Amino acid sequence: DAEITQSPRHKITETGRQVTLACHQTWNHNNMFWYRQDLGHGLRLIHYSYGVQDTNKGEVSDGYSVSRSNTEDLPLTLESAASSQTSVYFCASSPTLQSTDTQYFGPGTRLTVL
Amino acid sequence: GDSVTQMEGPVTLSEEAFLTINCTYTATGYPSLFWYVQYPGEGLQLLLKATKADDKGSNKGFEATYRKETTSFHLEKGSVQVSDSAVYFCALSPSQGGNQFYFGTGTSLTVIP
């Protein structure tokens, strides 16, 4: 079955370190999204991509970057981790640009920055 | 801009009680509306959706009707079960938004036997 996976599921790191969270989908979806989930804020969009070599900033993109070299993967990099980036991170994908399309979510990565 | 306002939680209900979680939205045009459910330790799963005014989405006994006149998409279930305990998110995708989603803050539901 097609799916979307994230790794690692849990990560503890130190302030100032670079961290990369992986997201891999086997649906062959064009669109991929990264969100962070924080209490009281719901899910907020960090970055998104509509296809290979395409990346766009979301609502809370400062301190994060992404690159899209193939259809299946959209890794999220924290250039220099900060305590404010402690959160649960979700990756999602969808097939087209239509507003009616469902986004499919991965299981999440819990990141703690000490 | 586009946004979703969702009923604050947490909500605690007894088994077989009636559930309503309110959701209202702000958007131009005709967005698509979604309810997602998140069980403990898991990612979000689509519960139901509606893509045009007066549409009713339904799944697993849950229902929500897209009301353009009141800009609402309230989630209802007639008789909740312990297994419905989860966090519920309302979301919208603007009609010209490239499938970007705007989420509400989530409502935590606990159902007690």
Side-chain angles (χ1 to χ4, degrees):
Chain A
D1 284 345
E3 61 178 355
I4 181 165
T5 57
Q6 293 183 235
S7 63
R9 295 293 314 276
H10 302 271
K11 173 78 175 177
I12 300 174
T13 191
E14 295 177 344
T15 302
R17 289 191 179 270
Q18 184 181 78
V19 177
T20 296
L21 309 182
C23 175
H24 179 79
Q25 53 100 359
T26 58
W27 277 303
N28 201 36
H29 284 169
N30 286 325
N31 309 331
M32 295 184 74
F33 306 85
W34 273 105
Y35 297 89
R36 59 178 290 172
Q37 182 182 22
D38 304 289
L39 200 62
H41 292 280
L43 274 76
R44 292 180 290 175
L45 184 63
I46 304 171
H47 281 286
Y48 59 101
S49 168
Y50 289 145
V52 176
Q53 303 301 330
D54 176 75
T55 61
N56 305 278
K57 294 181 178 180
E59 177 190 357
V60 291
S61 61
D62 287 350
Y64 304 93
S65 64
V66 294
S67 62
R68 187 93 179 270
S69 59
N70 58 53
T71 301
E72 297 79 16
D73 299 290
L74 187 70
L76 177 72
T77 298
L78 287 68
E79 304 293 345
S80 176
S83 58
S84 60
Q85 295 176 309
T86 293
S87 186
V88 181
Y89 291 86
F90 288 99
C91 180
S93 71
S94 65
T96 75
L97 296 179
Q98 295 188 51
S99 68
T100 55
D101 275 358
T102 298
Q103 287 191 13
Y104 298 88
F105 282 79
T109 294
R110 182 175 295 277
L111 176 68
T112 302
V113 183
L114 301 176
Chain B
D2 299 309
S3 65
V4 172
T5 301
Q6 191 174 337
M7 180 174 123
E8 294 285 334
V11 174
T12 302
L13 295 174
S14 297
E15 206 165 22
E16 299 184 1
F18 185 86
L19 169 71
T20 300
I21 301 178
N22 290 337
C23 172
T24 57
Y25 68 89
T26 300
T28 55
Y30 296 88
S32 295
L33 301 173
F34 302 79
W35 277 101
Y36 279 82
V37 59
Q38 183 182 32
Y39 298 105
E42 299 183 9
L44 279 70
Q45 304 173 25
L46 177 69
L47 182 58
L48 53 84
K49 70 179 184 181
T51 59
K52 60 182 186 291
D54 300 324
D55 265 3
K56 177 186 284 188
S58 61
N59 186 25
K60 299 180 181 180
F62 291 89
E63 294 183 341
T65 301
Y66 187 158
R67 302 284 189 199
K68 183 74 173 171
E69 64 277 12
T70 55
T71 61
S72 65
F73 192 54
H74 304 321
L75 182 68
E76 297 182 335
K77 187 176 185 182
S79 176
V80 294
Q81 306 300 312
V82 172
S83 57
D84 294 326
S85 298
V87 180
Y88 293 82
F89 291 93
C90 185
L92 76 81
S93 181
S95 56
Q96 301 296 326
N99 195 236
Q100 288 189 45
F101 276 37
Y102 295 86
F103 285 88
T105 54
T107 301
S108 175
L109 169 67
T110 300
V111 180
I112 55 177

